[in-house]
Amino acid sequence: MSASDTPPVRQHMERLAADGIDVVRVTYPDLIGTERARDVLLGHLPAACEHGLAFCRAVYHTSPQGDTVPVAGGLDAGLPDIRVTPDLDTLTVLPWEPGVAACLGDVTDPATGRAAPESPRDLLRAVLGHWAAQGLRPVVGPELEYFLCDADPDRPQGWRRYSEARGVVYTAGLRADPDNHLLRSLRLLRGLDIGVSGGNHEYDGAQFEINLTHSDALTAADRAFRFKAAVNELARAEGRLATFMAKPFNDAGGSGFHLHLSCLDDGDGNAFADPSTPHGLSATARHAIAGVLSHAPALAALANPTVNSYKRFGPDTLAPWLIDWGLDNRSAMVRVPPERGLGTRFELRLGDAGANPYLLIAGTLAAALLGIRAGEEPPAPLEGYGYDSARSAVLPMSLPAALDALKADGALTGLLGKDFTAAYLTYKRDEVARFERHVTDWEFTEYGYHL
């Protein structure tokens, strides 16, 4: 919908009031993809749209533990404001919250009138501008997994897995989901209008995957962001915890955030399809895959953004830790599914579920675009089962190594922007420093009795 077609605020208010809505929740993502928000009474929506809602810019720099990281533009600038303006095109009723609708917010820096450099949604918009200059429109389908937990005061972290059922991958029903969490969530998420299509139990006990349809890249990121926030809310409504962290349990696998990527050309054809080539992949597709492979070490800092992320990697985990690609091969970092024609695409399996959807998609598109611009060709596709470091290069195996790779990749950071990159590196290096100072349960178990 163009700006000229957007209904005036009063029309939205009348529609919402007729549906019994008296509160609008305005949300936006912070650097780690967590939902920041303010509830606005319906009568104050016009003022919020005209003047925006003031938030402290340092919210972008606030850690999950509430520490304010000294990123430039925050503490050093006296904790100035950003302005968040409701994007009424994204209004939707929250099916589980009577009387409440929600919308995304657009973020600007009042001092410059431009987008705040840390704004993940605006970073993705900027990368998409470079794709538009190539006459290409990326299409993205997100896949996300999560674990569901029940409260347990006897566990050190206060939570245990909701179900310990084994061998239940690709199942549905009470065998793996005794309280029908999945069915209940699917029905509520359907009303959120974010493209939820179905779901199933995943590999480990209490692990679920809910599928989202494909769309243009920005809408896909919006939908993935809202999906994660919604699942967290629905779990809390059940008295439970849903976690998208990469690997929450030692005796279970990790949770992935896979991206299916294709793109449309000016004629709405699939620019990745070419039936005349041996694999049915166009030069654009091959170049895009090569770009992702070339910039994978730096991309890991966005796709695997936490200290915990790298505990998901390892042999036989189906979490890629080698830089390779293959044809319908789930042991490769980049998999090309068997569909061709309009369905031609590749699947990036690198990301974990803790990734910020906007940053993961922006980084992937930036890497792919660099490959297209350079005309890079990928190596021969992986054949057979992967995870052989004699055949492929190894990804960074820790967050510090991935951050170093991001800093060193001038081409990728050039597309992402120096201000964003500096803010992200500062924020994430603080996370590493705090972790390295923290005494863990493992250390006490290992050393406390014997030393």
Side-chain angles (χ1 to χ4, degrees):
M1 181 181 291
S2 68
S4 60
D5 295 329
T6 303
V9 178
R10 290 291 174 187
Q11 290 183 29
H12 283 293
M13 292 175 65
E14 290 170 3
R15 176 175 60 84
L16 292 172
D19 290 337
I21 303 298
D22 65 343
V23 170
V24 174
R25 181 166 297 165
V26 183
T27 75
Y28 67 98
D30 64 12
L31 269 180
I32 62 173
T34 297
E35 184 183 60
R36 304 289 178 169
R38 182 168 298 158
D39 285 342
V40 178
L41 292 170
L42 188 59
H44 290 267
L45 186 61
C49 292
E50 182 177 358
H51 305 293
L53 302 169
F55 286 80
C56 180
R57 179 176 169 183
V59 167
Y60 281 125
H61 318 149
T62 302
S63 78
Q65 298 303 311
D67 305 303
T68 301
V69 180
V71 174
L75 284 171
D76 65 325
L79 301 171
D81 275 350
I82 53 172
R83 183 179 296 121
V84 179
T85 305
D87 178 356
L88 298 183
D89 283 348
T90 64
L91 267 174
T92 186
V93 173
L94 296 183
W96 57 88
E97 197 76 82
V100 180
C103 70
L104 298 172
D106 287 320
V107 180
T108 55
D109 181 348
T112 64
R114 299 191 298 272
E118 303 95 330
S119 170
R121 199 170 184 230
D122 288 292
L123 174 68
L124 178 53
R125 282 177 171 143
V127 172
L128 288 172
H130 294 291
W131 276 77
Q134 299 282 143
L136 297 171
R137 289 171 288 146
V139 175
V140 174
E143 289 184 4
L144 282 145
E145 299 166 342
Y146 65 94
F147 278 91
L148 186 68
C149 304
D150 281 325
D152 186 346
D154 295 329
R155 300 289 178 97
Q157 66 270 55
W159 300 94
R160 60 176 170 79
R161 276 180 286 179
Y162 151 73
S163 169
E164 300 290 345
R166 300 279 183 172
V168 289
V169 63
Y170 294 145
T171 63
L174 299 178
R175 179 157 56 116
D177 184 12
D179 192 37
N180 263 335
H181 160 81
L182 180 61
L183 275 181
R184 188 162 51 250
S185 298
L186 284 174
R187 286 169 173 152
L188 289 167
L189 289 167
R190 175 178 55 195
L192 194 59
D193 195 25
I194 56 171
V196 168
S197 61
N200 57 266
H201 197 279
E202 255 299 329
Y203 192 85
D204 283 292
Q207 187 182 39
F208 296 91
E209 177 176 296
I210 293 179
N211 306 116
L212 303 175
T213 56
H214 60 272
S215 68
D216 69 272
L218 181 60
T219 302
D222 287 342
R223 293 186 296 108
F225 166 65
R226 299 179 92 164
F227 166 76
K228 292 177 74 174
V231 167
N232 282 323
E233 283 289 287
L234 292 175
R236 290 184 178 103
E238 297 176 359
R240 296 187 168 110
L241 171 74
T243 181
F244 289 88
M245 71 180 287
K247 185 176 170 62
F249 302 103
N250 281 313
D251 61 345
S255 291
F257 185 169
H258 301 169
L259 295 180
H260 290 254
L261 175 63
S262 62
C263 71
L264 302 177
D265 56 27
D266 286 336
D268 288 336
N270 189 330
F272 281 1
D274 184 349
S276 69
T277 65
H279 302 310
L281 299 174
S282 70
T284 300
R286 298 194 309 273
H287 300 334
I289 291 170
V292 170
L293 298 176
S294 294
H295 298 279
L299 181 57
L302 304 175
N304 311 110
T306 70
V307 169
N308 177 257
S309 293
Y310 297 83
K311 296 175 182 180
R312 169 176 164 260
F313 292 158
D316 302 318
T317 61
L318 292 181
W321 52 281
L322 297 176
I323 303 172
D324 51 14
W325 77 287
L327 301 168
D328 199 14
N329 191 329
R330 282 181 170 82
S331 65
M333 187 188 82
V334 176
R335 167 182 172 257
V336 178
E339 294 86 356
R340 291 296 181 267
L342 290 176
T344 307
R345 65 193 187 279
F346 69 79
E347 176 193 15
L348 178 66
R349 299 174 60 82
L350 173 61
D352 66 65
N356 182 326
Y358 298 95
L359 302 189
L360 173 57
I361 294 174
T364 303
L365 292 180
L369 183 60
L370 288 169
I372 292 171
R373 286 178 173 177
E376 294 181 75
E377 289 288 344
L382 170 70
E383 293 186 4
Y385 194 53
Y387 307 117
D388 180 356
S389 58
R391 290 194 286 175
S392 303
V394 178
L395 283 159
M397 295 302 287
S398 70
L399 181 57
L403 295 174
D404 289 344
L406 178 62
K407 182 179 180 181
D409 193 329
L412 189 69
T413 59
L415 280 183
L416 298 177
K418 64 177 183 179
D419 291 336
F420 164 78
T421 302
Y424 187 78
L425 289 173
T426 299
Y427 182 84
K428 282 295 170 179
R429 290 197 192 283
D430 178 84
E431 177 181 330
V432 172
R434 286 186 292 111
F435 174 75
E436 291 178 343
R437 291 193 300 268
H438 184 75
V439 179
T440 65
D441 293 341
W442 183 92
E443 291 168 282
F444 190 86
T445 301
E446 185 79 0
Y447 308 124
Y449 183 78
H450 298 286
L451 301 182

